[in-house]
Amino acid sequence: MLSGLLGRKVGMTQVFGPNGSAVPVTVIEAGPCTITQVKRATTDGYEAVQLGFGAAKLKNTTRPILGHLGHSLPQTPSQRRRQQQTQAKARQEARKTETEADEAEATEATEATGATEATGATGAKTARSVSAKRRRGASQALGPFAVLREVKLVGDDSVAVGQTVDAAMFQLGERVDVIGTSKGKGFAGVMKRHGFRGGPRTHGQSDRARAPGSIGPGTTPGRVYKGTRMAGRMGNDRVTIKALEVIQADPERNLLVVKGSVPGPNGGLVMIRKGAEQLALAERTSAAGAAKSRG
């Protein structure tokens, strides 16, 4: 079971419950996501799946990412130059072998000719192997995607590269965690950032209304403690809202409606993750199944 799914925040609205009460909800475009890589404990040390979400322009995607996604890439000038150098070196060695060969002995000449062909074939094979290594997985070109993220893989579900995952993995009434990047507020003072009360407005204190006040004692300790709340950059942080209830799930339109607010602006990237209880249950079930199979 995949632990999460990528999506984008569409916006907030309200729906009406069975008793007529208005429920504030957030609409999320959840998926579809494509599995671009599967990591196993035997090869990578942990179980995870890399998901691709959103479309990106081919011309704006770097060659390493395209190669990772299995695209066939033309050779760069440096690669072409290296290949030409390898072939030229092979030809030079072949000519040197022919020059040193004894023309009087036909067997030696035949062996020299065979070595020449083998050397040329080796050079071509090396160039082809380097090119093939750079274009591994070219039979299944994916993407390119705007976002690549890893999510934890729980259990022994069979997943494969190229498989599509959508909002069908979430059920009505399920509890999920939504991870996003909060809105950036810029440089903010202590009243906005930490909720300070501010100084007195009377008794002639005309410039102390929004000041932070004292930041510590004097001689002892003679420094400012780490973590003292001061003015600074506010927002633009990774925020996780836990245990949001799924009100609606529409896999056909790739929409997920959750109760409450979600961090970030409209159109911001979010990750919808399975709740902690459900992940723990899946891990226990997987461990029990593994123990039973060993027994």
Side-chain angles (χ1 to χ4, degrees), residues 4-290:
L5 188 68
L6 298 177
R8 292 195 183 278
K9 177 179 176 180
V10 176
M12 289 199 70
T13 183
Q14 66 178 8
V15 297
F16 294 96
N19 58 353
S21 61
V23 180
V25 297
T26 302
V27 181
I28 301 174
E29 178 191 356
C33 297
T34 304
I35 297 178
T36 59
Q37 186 180 8
V38 179
K39 294 192 174 183
R40 296 293 183 182
T42 55
T43 56
D44 302 287
Y46 63 101
E47 300 278 340
V49 167
Q50 187 185 72
L51 298 177
F53 173 71
K57 292 184 178 180
L58 188 65
K59 68 182 184 68
N60 294 337
T61 307
T62 60
R63 287 175 60 89
I65 296 298
L66 290 176
H68 171 67
L69 296 175
H71 288 254
S72 297
L73 303 175
Q75 287 185 334
T76 62
S78 60
Q79 291 175 347
R80 194 178 304 111
R81 187 162 52 249
R82 271 198 305 271
Q83 183 180 7
Q84 292 173 353
Q85 291 173 355
T86 303
Q87 294 174 351
K89 187 176 181 181
R91 289 194 298 267
Q92 185 178 3
E93 292 178 356
R95 285 194 298 268
K96 184 178 180 181
T97 304
E98 290 178 356
T99 305
E100 294 176 354
D102 188 6
E103 298 178 356
E105 297 179 5
T107 55
E108 293 182 2
T110 305
E111 292 176 359
T113 305
T116 302
E117 295 176 355
T119 305
T122 302
K125 183 178 179 182
T126 303
R128 285 196 300 269
S129 64
V130 171
S131 178
K133 187 181 295 184
R134 293 181 180 276
R135 299 196 307 267
R136 60 185 182 276
S139 59
Q140 190 178 14
L142 303 173
F145 300 102
V147 181
L148 292 176
R149 291 289 187 276
E150 275 191 11
V151 297
K152 189 177 180 181
L153 183 62
V154 182
D156 299 328
D157 287 358
S158 58
V159 293
V161 174
Q163 183 178 343
T164 302
V165 188
D166 55 19
M169 64 182 292
F170 300 105
Q171 305 297 327
L172 182 65
E174 183 180 347
R175 297 284 179 171
V176 297
D177 301 339
V178 179
I179 306 170
T181 303
S182 61
K183 294 180 181 180
K185 306 294 184 180
F187 194 96
V190 291
M191 294 183 69
K192 180 177 181 179
R193 193 183 187 202
H194 301 295
F196 281 19
R197 182 178 59 183
R201 272 70 171 171
T202 59
H203 299 290
Q205 304 212 38
S206 58
D207 59 346
R208 299 287 90 196
R210 302 185 67 86
S214 174
I215 58 174
T219 305
T220 303
R223 61 186 177 90
V224 178
Y225 287 120
K226 291 184 178 180
T228 300
R229 294 177 296 172
M230 297 183 183
R233 184 181 62 83
M234 181 180 178
N236 195 31
D237 293 320
R238 177 186 169 99
V239 179
T240 302
I241 307 296
K242 295 185 177 181
L244 295 179
E245 182 183 356
V246 176
I247 302 298
Q248 295 178 14
D250 189 353
E252 295 181 357
R253 295 189 295 170
N254 300 316
L255 293 179
L256 193 69
V257 181
V258 297
K259 183 179 180 180
S261 60
V262 166
N266 294 344
L269 179 69
V270 295
M271 178 183 290
I272 308 101
R273 189 175 62 189
K274 294 277 188 179
E277 295 182 359
Q278 190 168 359
L279 289 178
L281 177 62
E283 289 181 354
R284 288 196 299 269
T285 304
S286 176

